[in-house]
Amino acid sequence: MKRQLPCLGLGILLACSSYSTIASAQLQVETRANPLESLRTQADYHERLPIPGRDDQPEVDVDITGVLYHRQQGNHQAAQNELTRLQAEHPRWQPPKALSRILQQARISDPEQRYLSLMAELANTPEDAVGTLAETRLREATIGVRQRKDAYHAMILGWLYFQRRDYPQAESLFLAAGDWGEVPASRRALGLLAERQAQQAARADDYLLAQHYAGQAVALGNNDSFINTAWLLYEAEKYQAAAEIFAMHHPRNEAALFGETLARRSAGEPLRARQLACEYETGSARLLEICIDLIAAEMVHSYQSGQHTALSEQAAVLQQMNALPPDLLALLAWSTLQAGQHQAAAEHFQQLLRLQADNHSHAHGLIESLLRSDDPAALAIARTQHPRVEEILAQREAIQAGHLDPDGSLPNDNGRQLAHAVALYQNGDYEKAWMILDQQRELIQRDRDSDMLVLTGWAAFHSERPLQARDSFLLAMQWSDDPAVPLMLAEAEIALGNLQQANELLAIQVPSAQREAMQDRILLLMAGAASEDGDPARAEALLLSSERPLNPPAMELLGWSQYQQGKYRQASTQFESAYRLAPSESRARGLVFSYMQGSDPRPLINLASELQGPLLGLTNDPQVHQELAAGRDNWISVSSDGELIVVEPEPQRSEFAQALQQFIALPGSTWGSVDHNLRDQETYVSLLINQGIDWTVLPGEITVNTFFEYRAIHNDWQAIYDDDEVVFGAELQRAPFKLGIEYAPARWRGTEGAPSTTNAYLGWYHSWYHFLRRRGSTSWNPLDVDAYDGAVYGRVIHNLDEDITTARGFVRQGMDWFTADTWAGEITLNTYAAYRYRLRTRDAFWYNAHGPAIGVELNRSPFSLGIDYMRQYNPRRSTAEHRYGIYLTWYYDWNLRPE
């Protein structure tokens, strides 16, 4: 007998045709060729069983084949219903006790029937009820599937877990189903699962993980996984990540190229976007359109920045594509004219006038081109061919006729006086040049001669008459389209001390290198004025509001502003950056002062050796090097001229203090962590207390250290992890490395003993902190943070007693977003991403793991309170685990050696 099992309603792409019909052989273990005949035989046997009741009760012939059939099929409820029906039809009949016992035992003790019944129930779960399935029933089903290596039901369970978004479990079951025979279905399911995981990682901004999963999906036959994941990122405005994933699609078909081009353009990579679009535009109308648009945008930028050669090359590309519209041809014409190629400019303007005969601007361009090429014959021909050219020239001649003598000089010999003023200006005699130009101002203004007004303004500026210079530049702006004139006006405003007005004027001008240089100079002047007024905080705020990277003088001023506020670490960063770009003695002194005021000036020596120059001159005293390397910070000071010097220690210490002084240092520290796993509801507590002695410093700045250390671990869920021990050790320290050996004596706790252990180890720890400038922007961007901080940690331990090697560590990069001044002190908000790993040569199957983590922390030294999420991959088991939790950690160190 066969029966139909409804197709699993999971709302996913499961091929129902492969799994819709399930033979009874898939639901039970057949042992007979004819199950109905077997059931009838069982019924005959049970009919012969004694029936309880009075001796005089007549026998009733009842067919219990249906009850036995349902029981054999594992459908215990149907069997019970059939028995109830038979009792209702035959009120005088009493079912045999053996039958009731069989049904009861089948319901309770038949694992195979219970398994098949459970799987049938799960397979028919409605789609909207999958999320409400009990975890215990799913675990029971999973155990049964794995025990029986049941490929078909492994696929069903995998899809259930898939819909519940428990992807690790789904992946494990799909892989198992493939190993047990369902290879094509397993491959399709794993491909869809990998794409879903790629999209999940993309939404979580884990782009490397998204690329990894998308690649898996493609390898499994889901060829559009890269494109689908990339569009998801693009729609979320994560353009850079989208572009990288589009680029991973192979072959590079038109759909992937189109997506990558759009993403790179939106991510601020127009050049790369244009290269892609133009390289592959053949046969694709939308790539061709993007190619043309991007080249047009490059032409506008080239024109605004004065890159005439680049603009000509870009225009040539569009001409070859027959896609150079009149507005871009006009840019090419004016650019060619500005580059001094007058004849070529005239040809471009001629072409424009043939397209747009009434355009006044094109006519002016043609006239200027022909005048500068000194070709009166061509100008005469242009007058006859283009009515607009004739109109402009006739108007010029009429104006000129009213103010010039027939020989071309100004009346009353003004022309010779203006020529003399030009010569004086060119020779650097600005005072005399300005006097002549000022006398001729009325004539210059009447002729609206913007060039001569500009010359008058510069003559006044250089002769220290900024007010008169501003007036001349203002008039010149009215009669000239030259973009340089507003910059000249800004120079005059700066000279008058009107820095805000100059800044506002520059803000509305076309971007250029000259404009940006002037804006940087204004910012430096404004910040310098605030610093001189005794307001370093305002100076700092002004400098940090810059939308562009600061130049070395501005960095130096920012460093001094922060130094005056006690922000020594940030100040040292600014001084170092300025010094690296342009070394100077003042920046070297700032770097020395900020390091000496900080907590650890020892890195200054290495920095001085690296950077050389004036900084090395301030720190070249061998005794200073020796004292700093030994950690005697308080013995180092800064002289009045900024050099590092060694000062004498205070005399008269106690005998105990003098004894401790024999050691280089007595460093100690404590580290601890309370970590609660929200997923498994486990709490881990770790504690470490270390006290060491630095005995001497070997050549190469290698410190010899011995220590004792107390370590404790507690797990409230599994006490087998609880441990505590005292460790003695010795190590060689050369930052960032520690090479040592440690010994933990045998110890007893209750009835369980712990043997002694001896370990050799190599450890390393290095951290970095880069203070960043705030940009003053209201929109989010990766630089709009206080600082970047990060660290790398690792430890390789070899157990000499058991010959086991263990390695563990992490790499972490974080961002300090802001610091708030609260009742508990300054609290910094930090987010970070990390990659953690652990490896061991023994029990690697259970121990080895690695994976990424992200988290958010509130830092108030020495404490950090945070929440994190970690995905841990176990390579030997081919499984991935997810963990999220809250934690409190602390780290505090000290030096018991008296000052």
Side-chain angles (χ1 to χ4, degrees):
M1 173 180 285
K2 295 184 179 181
R3 63 190 180 93
Q4 295 295 108
L5 183 67
C7 181
L8 183 61
L10 297 179
I12 52 182
L13 301 177
L14 178 62
C16 294
S17 60
S18 301
Y19 305 107
S20 60
T21 304
I22 304 176
S24 60
Q26 295 173 299
L27 297 177
Q28 65 180 16
V29 179
E30 288 196 12
T31 57
R32 300 175 179 84
N34 190 338
L36 286 178
E37 185 62 31
S38 172
L39 293 172
R40 296 188 185 278
T41 302
Q42 294 179 45
D44 293 342
Y45 167 75
H46 289 298
E47 282 300 300
R48 291 195 293 271
L49 295 177
I51 300 175
R54 296 193 315 213
D55 294 338
D56 58 350
Q57 186 178 25
E59 292 187 359
V60 180
D61 184 17
V62 178
D63 184 3
I64 61 172
T65 303
V67 178
L68 295 175
Y69 171 77
H70 289 304
R71 179 264 176 193
Q72 189 173 12
Q73 291 294 310
N75 195 336
H76 307 298
Q77 186 61 48
Q80 187 63 47
N81 293 341
E82 177 65 10
L83 180 60
T84 303
R85 185 186 68 78
L86 290 174
Q87 288 177 313
E89 282 186 8
H90 308 284
R92 297 175 58 83
W93 174 67
Q94 292 293 329
K97 290 184 178 179
L99 178 61
S100 300
R101 186 168 58 254
I102 289 173
L103 291 178
Q104 182 67 17
Q105 289 175 350
R107 185 180 301 110
I108 297 174
S109 62
D110 188 342
E112 188 65 25
Q113 295 300 327
R114 184 168 61 249
Y115 165 72
L116 294 172
S117 176
L118 173 60
M119 294 310 304
E121 177 186 343
L122 292 177
N124 287 279
T125 303
E127 181 178 353
D128 57 358
V130 171
T132 63
L133 287 174
E135 192 67 33
T136 54
R137 295 181 63 76
L138 289 170
R139 281 201 297 267
E140 179 185 353
T142 302
I143 293 171
V145 163
R146 292 190 180 279
Q147 288 175 343
R148 294 164 177 79
K149 294 186 178 180
D150 187 345
Y152 171 74
H153 287 115
M155 289 298 302
I156 291 178
L157 271 181
W159 286 119
L160 285 169
Y161 277 114
F162 180 94
Q163 191 168 5
R164 290 165 66 90
R165 298 184 181 179
D166 191 342
Y167 299 138
Q169 281 284 11
E171 181 181 20
S172 177
L173 287 162
F174 289 148
L175 286 170
D179 293 340
W180 300 333
E182 292 283 357
V183 178
S186 170
R187 186 176 177 85
R188 288 194 300 272
L190 288 170
L192 182 60
L193 174 63
E195 179 173 332
R196 184 67 59 84
Q197 289 175 300
Q199 294 174 356
Q200 185 183 53
R203 291 189 180 95
D205 295 342
D206 193 342
Y207 308 131
L208 291 177
L209 191 60
Q211 292 176 8
H212 168 74
Y213 280 128
Q216 280 190 351
V218 171
L220 291 165
N222 197 348
N223 296 326
D224 291 331
S225 181
F226 280 124
I227 292 180
N228 295 339
T229 304
W231 279 120
L232 183 72
L233 289 166
Y234 182 89
E235 291 168 0
E237 300 183 359
K238 298 168 183 176
Y239 303 119
Q240 187 64 48
E244 297 302 327
I245 295 182
F246 274 124
M248 297 182 71
H249 184 81
H250 291 287
R252 293 172 69 83
N253 58 20
E254 194 266 354
L257 288 166
F258 175 69
E260 184 183 355
T261 302
L262 289 182
R264 294 206 180 279
R265 182 170 68 174
S266 301
E269 299 182 42
L271 180 59
R272 193 166 179 185
R274 191 259 292 173
Q275 291 171 343
L276 277 172
C278 297
E279 182 179 356
Y280 297 98
E281 50 85 14
T282 305
S284 172
R286 54 184 182 177
L287 284 177
L288 176 62
E289 182 180 356
I290 294 176
C291 172
I292 295 171
D293 288 346
L294 289 171
I295 294 177
E298 289 180 8
M299 285 186 65
V300 173
H301 179 267
S302 297
Y303 181 80
Q304 292 174 341
S305 56
Q307 301 175 17
H308 305 300
T309 302
L311 187 144
S312 297
E313 295 172 353
Q314 294 151 2
V317 174
L318 289 182
Q319 284 177 324
Q320 291 176 358
M321 300 168 67
N322 196 25
L324 186 67
D327 56 341
L328 294 181
L329 179 59
L331 280 185
L332 174 63
W334 285 109
S335 176
T336 307
L337 177 61
Q338 294 174 18
Q341 302 173 18
H342 305 136
Q343 190 60 43
E347 293 175 2
H348 294 320
F349 284 119
Q350 289 269 22
Q351 183 180 355
L352 284 166
L353 282 172
R354 285 193 290 271
L355 296 172
Q356 300 172 342
D358 291 335
N359 191 293
H360 194 271
S361 177
H362 300 339
H364 266 295
L366 178 58
I367 292 170
E368 289 297 324
S369 301
L370 294 174
L371 287 175
R372 296 185 187 185
S373 61
D374 195 19
D375 191 350
L379 184 61
I381 295 174
R383 295 185 72 161
T384 61
Q385 291 179 341
H386 304 291
R388 183 64 70 181
V389 172
E390 168 61 27
E391 177 185 337
I392 293 173
L393 288 176
Q395 184 179 15
R396 286 188 179 186
E397 290 169 354
I399 294 173
Q400 194 176 39
H403 301 294
L404 296 178
D405 290 334
D407 61 357
S409 63
L410 291 172
N412 302 322
D413 206 22
N414 291 328
R416 283 190 291 273
Q417 292 187 42
L418 292 175
H420 182 52
V422 172
L424 289 171
Y425 181 88
Q426 292 173 343
N427 292 328
D429 194 345
Y430 306 119
E431 181 71 25
K432 292 181 180 178
W434 181 80
M435 292 178 64
I436 295 175
L437 291 168
D438 188 52
Q439 291 174 1
Q440 301 295 328
R441 177 180 291 274
E442 182 179 352
L443 176 62
I444 294 171
Q445 293 179 200
R446 185 179 63 193
D447 289 339
R448 298 189 175 186
D449 191 338
S450 58
D451 292 336
M452 199 59 68
L453 277 171
V454 168
L455 184 67
T456 303
W458 280 121
F461 185 87
H462 291 307
S463 61
E464 299 183 0
R465 295 180 174 85
L467 186 61
Q468 289 81 351
R470 182 182 66 179
D471 294 341
S472 296
F473 292 142
L474 274 172
L475 284 173
M477 280 182 61
Q478 299 179 22
W479 303 321
S480 172
D481 295 330
D482 188 347
V485 177
L487 303 182
M488 302 172 191
L489 179 59
E491 287 283 6
E493 296 287 10
I494 293 172
L496 289 169
N498 301 328
L499 302 180
Q500 189 62 37
Q501 291 89 324
N503 221 10
E504 293 172 356
L505 181 64
L506 291 172
I508 61 175
Q509 304 307 314
V510 175
S512 66
Q514 183 181 0
R515 187 195 78 160
E516 292 179 359
M518 292 179 66
Q519 287 177 320
D520 291 342
R521 184 151 51 92
I522 292 171
L523 180 65
L524 189 61
L525 289 171
M526 295 173 70
S531 181
E532 291 176 1
D533 292 339
D535 191 354
R538 174 168 169 73
E540 179 189 24
L542 285 169
L543 291 166
L544 292 178
S545 68
S546 172
E547 296 180 357
R548 293 183 303 279
L550 299 178
N551 57 28
M555 290 180 185
E556 181 182 354
L557 179 57
L558 178 57
W560 286 117
S561 300
Q562 292 171 336
Y563 181 89
Q564 293 170 8
Q565 299 176 73
K567 301 178 180 179
Y568 303 120
R569 183 173 59 178
Q570 295 95 318
S572 66
T573 302
Q574 298 302 328
F575 286 128
E576 181 181 342
S577 299
Y579 189 91
R580 287 181 181 275
L581 293 172
S584 71
E585 187 171 347
S586 63
R587 289 161 197 162
R589 293 185 188 281
L591 193 54
V592 167
F593 276 114
S594 55
Y595 262 103
M596 294 308 302
Q597 293 290 348
S599 59
D600 187 5
R602 282 175 287 181
L604 181 62
I605 298 301
N606 294 332
L607 192 63
S609 300
E610 175 194 350
L611 299 181
Q612 301 288 316
L615 182 60
L616 185 61
L618 298 177
T619 58
N620 60 3
D621 186 339
Q623 188 178 4
V624 171
H625 282 237
Q626 181 179 355
E627 298 293 338
L628 282 173
R632 301 189 180 105
D633 304 344
N634 61 308
W635 292 44
I636 311 300
S637 183
V638 183
S639 67
S640 58
D641 58 358
E643 293 185 358
L644 298 184
I645 59 174
V646 179
V647 297
E648 292 297 327
E650 296 181 6
Q652 301 301 324
R653 298 185 181 272
S654 66
E655 292 183 4
F656 179 72
Q658 291 179 19
L660 293 180
Q661 286 286 352
Q662 302 306 312
F663 303 119
I664 295 176
L666 297 170
S669 62
T670 177
W671 173 87
S673 172
V674 179
D675 192 336
H676 182 68
N677 187 332
L678 294 171
R679 182 183 179 92
D680 299 328
Q681 295 301 313
E682 300 177 64
T683 301
Y684 303 85
V685 180
S686 302
L687 175 64
L688 181 149
I689 302 175
N690 176 288
Q691 180 58 59
I693 300 175
D694 287 351
W695 294 92
T696 186
V697 178
L698 302 177
E701 298 184 357
I702 299 175
T703 301
V704 179
N705 175 275
T706 59
F707 65 88
F708 71 89
E709 192 168 273
Y710 173 74
R711 305 169 183 169
I713 300 174
H714 170 69
N715 184 330
D716 68 344
W717 187 59
Q718 300 187 56
I720 60 173
Y721 289 110
D722 289 5
D723 191 19
D724 69 287
E725 62 183 359
V726 176
V727 178
F728 301 91
E731 60 187 20
L732 299 177
Q733 303 173 351
R734 172 65 168 87
F737 298 101
K738 292 183 179 182
L739 176 65
I741 189 167
E742 62 183 24
Y743 170 73
R747 64 199 185 282
W748 294 92
R749 182 176 65 250
T751 60
E752 298 181 4
S756 62
T757 57
T758 304
N759 299 324
Y761 62 88
L762 172 65
W764 58 90
Y765 179 77
H766 176 66
S767 63
W768 53 88
Y769 184 92
H770 296 295
F771 181 78
L772 301 175
R773 296 172 294 278
R774 291 186 181 277
R775 301 299 174 187
S777 174
T778 57
S779 61
W780 184 90
N781 67 77
L783 296 179
D784 207 8
V785 296
D786 275 348
Y788 286 163
D789 74 305
V792 58
Y793 163 79
R795 189 173 176 88
V796 180
I797 306 171
H798 183 69
N799 187 316
L800 300 174
D801 302 305
E802 302 181 17
D803 193 24
I804 302 174
T805 302
T806 304
R808 62 178 182 268
F810 65 82
V811 177
R812 164 178 165 149
Q813 178 62 58
M815 291 186 290
D816 287 352
W817 291 94
F818 61 84
T819 299
D821 192 1
T822 70
W823 62 270
E826 291 189 348
I827 296 179
T828 300
L829 175 66
N830 177 276
T831 58
Y832 64 88
Y835 198 87
R836 302 167 180 167
Y837 62 90
R838 66 172 189 260
L839 306 167
R840 188 158 63 188
T841 55
R842 185 180 298 179
D843 296 330
F845 183 84
W846 300 106
Y847 186 83
N848 289 10
H850 62 89
I854 56 174
V856 182
E857 283 185 349
L858 296 176
N859 295 323
R860 167 64 171 91
S861 183
F863 299 100
S864 294
L865 175 65
I867 184 168
D868 67 351
Y869 165 79
M870 179 173 65
R871 181 185 185 275
Q872 184 171 274
Y873 177 67
N874 304 100
R876 293 293 185 90
R877 288 178 282 161
S878 298
T879 61
E881 301 173 0
H882 299 265
R883 174 205 175 281
Y884 48 93
I886 58 176
Y887 60 87
L888 173 67
T889 63
W890 62 89
Y891 177 79
Y892 181 73
D893 58 6
W894 58 79
N895 184 0
L896 297 180
R897 180 181 180 276
E899 300 298 338

